Amino acid sequence: MDGAGGDRAGRLSGQLPAGSPYFREKRLSPGLVAVRPPSPRVVAGWILRRPDTLTEAEGLRLEAVLVHCPELDALAGHVRSFGRMLTERQGERLPQWLDAVRRDDLPGLHALAAGIDRDRDAVIAGLTLPWSSGVVEGHVNRIKMLKRQMFGRAGFALLRKRILIYS
């Protein structure tokens, strides 16, 4: 390749190992490799999954991404900690988790922490108690869907009949 673009690609391919687990490779020509980091969606998926469900290649690629971005590494730690708290019903750990989140410079998590703080007792109960309102929420969601389908077409009487029929 000629020109500045080809020169940059040549220098870049010489700087990165061809078999690096962090990059996906695309061969442009013999000896020239174009590399792309994983997409944000893919990285988010890796962070949100349990570490033991990642394949070896995914684990290596995620580790490489986290090494290059300390903020993302801190975020991953908080997300995994919250996931453990959620799955193991350890709501009593929530205040320590919120304090740890506030110590890091992660504005997105600060907004989440502020929202959780507004209803801290309910969140702790949800993370601790074995009861769930999931069934009720499912019915509410179904009723809202029926209402949206009928918007502007019929009155309350027909909506009531449809809700009763589908119950």
Side-chain angles (χ1 to χ4, degrees):
M1 289 183 141
D2 294 329
D7 185 44
R8 281 197 309 267
R11 283 197 317 265
L12 183 61
S13 67
Q15 293 172 355
L16 300 171
S20 172
Y22 174 59
F23 298 102
R24 290 181 291 209
E25 299 176 356
K26 181 178 178 185
R27 297 248 176 229
L28 298 175
S29 64
L32 203 57
V33 176
V35 293
R36 281 189 312 213
S39 71
R41 179 177 289 191
V42 169
V43 174
W46 293 338
I47 290 172
L48 291 172
R49 286 172 39 202
R50 292 181 185 211
D52 56 338
T53 64
L54 296 174
T55 65
E56 186 176 345
E58 290 170 338
L60 289 173
R61 292 181 74 193
L62 176 60
E63 188 177 319
V65 169
L66 297 180
V67 163
H68 287 88
C69 183
E71 293 87 6
L72 200 55
D73 189 29
L75 174 75
H78 292 308
V79 167
R80 290 205 170 128
S81 176
F82 191 82
R84 276 191 305 277
M85 196 176 4
L86 180 67
T87 57
E88 297 171 7
R89 298 209 174 274
Q90 299 174 340
E92 66 278 354
R93 290 183 38 214
L94 184 67
Q96 293 86 11
W97 184 84
L98 290 170
D99 291 339
V101 164
R102 286 190 189 100
R103 282 192 299 270
D104 286 336
D105 186 27
L106 300 169
L109 278 185
H110 290 176
L112 173 68
I116 288 174
D117 247 348
R118 282 192 292 274
D119 208 4
R120 182 185 284 220
D121 292 336
V123 175
I124 290 175
L127 290 173
T128 308
L129 301 174
W131 300 290
S132 170
S133 62
V135 175
V136 173
E137 292 298 329
H139 287 298
V140 169
N141 190 36
R142 180 181 52 81
I143 290 168
K144 286 181 177 182
M145 180 213 43
L146 289 170
K147 183 180 171 189
R148 278 191 301 270
Q149 286 176 346
M150 296 176 52
F151 183 75
R153 297 186 186 151
F156 180 73
L158 182 58
L159 175 62
R160 183 175 184 274
K161 284 182 183 178
R162 283 194 71 188
I163 290 172
L164 293 176
I165 287 172
Y166 290 110
S167 294

